[in-house]
Amino acid sequence: MRVRLIEIPVFSDHRGSVSVLEDLPFTVRRVFYIYDVPYESVRGRHALKTCHQILVAVSGTFNVIVDGETHYLTSPGVGLYIPPMAWRELTRFGPTTVCLVLASHPYDEDDYIRDYDEFESLRL
Ligand code: TYD
């Protein structure tokens, strides 16, 4: 599976909105969210050997540069699917931005590749 945007159904009426993530391409075993990120900060800067993730800007906006392509996430109605072995960098967080991450595996530091040269050599 490749990097792709996933449309998340949004149900809106006069009471507000609800967005629903279901029938996902992997079983979610971990959820975390990234927030209070200074605009100049870069998060991520890693690839994951086996973990699949979906990122959603549930509030505010941020950029995801993944395998050289930039995706500007601006809506709780859009998710970005990132497969294993994809280098990602998250940038340009706003003051109210919350990045929700759905992950296929529990946290395991051994699954991380944090050195870009190592990532390149493993990907060949
Ligand atoms: P890090 O991977 O550097 O964050 P990001 O990818 O958002 O830039 O993680 C920051 C710290 O949080 C690091 O000490 C590991 C810890 N952490 C966990 O313990 N469990 C988790 O599920 C995540 C995502 C991070």
Side-chain angles (χ1 to χ4, degrees), residues 91-110:
T91 65
R92 301 188 175 192
F93 278 63
T96 63
T97 297
V98 180
C99 167
L100 177 72
V101 183
L102 310 181
S104 63
H105 289 73
Y107 177 73
D108 175 8
E109 186 58 36
D110 289 343

Side-chain angles (χ1 to χ4, degrees), residues 45-49 66-68 82-89 111-124:
R45 276 195 175 137
H46 61 245
L48 297 164
K49 293 175 197 159
V66 56
D67 284 347
I82 304 181
M85 291 307 286
W87 187 267
R88 87 289 312 268
E89 303 191 359
D111 201 47
Y112 281 71
I113 306 165
R114 295 189 183 272
D115 180 82
Y116 191 78
D117 291 340
E118 184 189 351
F119 166 70
E120 291 249 281
S121 66
L122 285 172
R123 200 167 54 157
L124 292 178

Side-chain angles (χ1 to χ4, degrees), residues 8-13 15-21 76:
I8 302 170
V10 180
F11 300 91
S12 297
D13 60 32
R15 300 166 302 156
S17 299
V18 55
S19 298
V20 183
L21 283 147

Side-chain angles (χ1 to χ4, degrees), residues 69-89:
E69 278 204 350
T70 301
H71 300 270
Y72 185 43
L73 297 189
T74 62
S75 164
V78 176
L80 181 68
Y81 167 76
I82 304 181
M85 291 307 286
W87 187 267
R88 87 289 312 268
E89 303 191 359

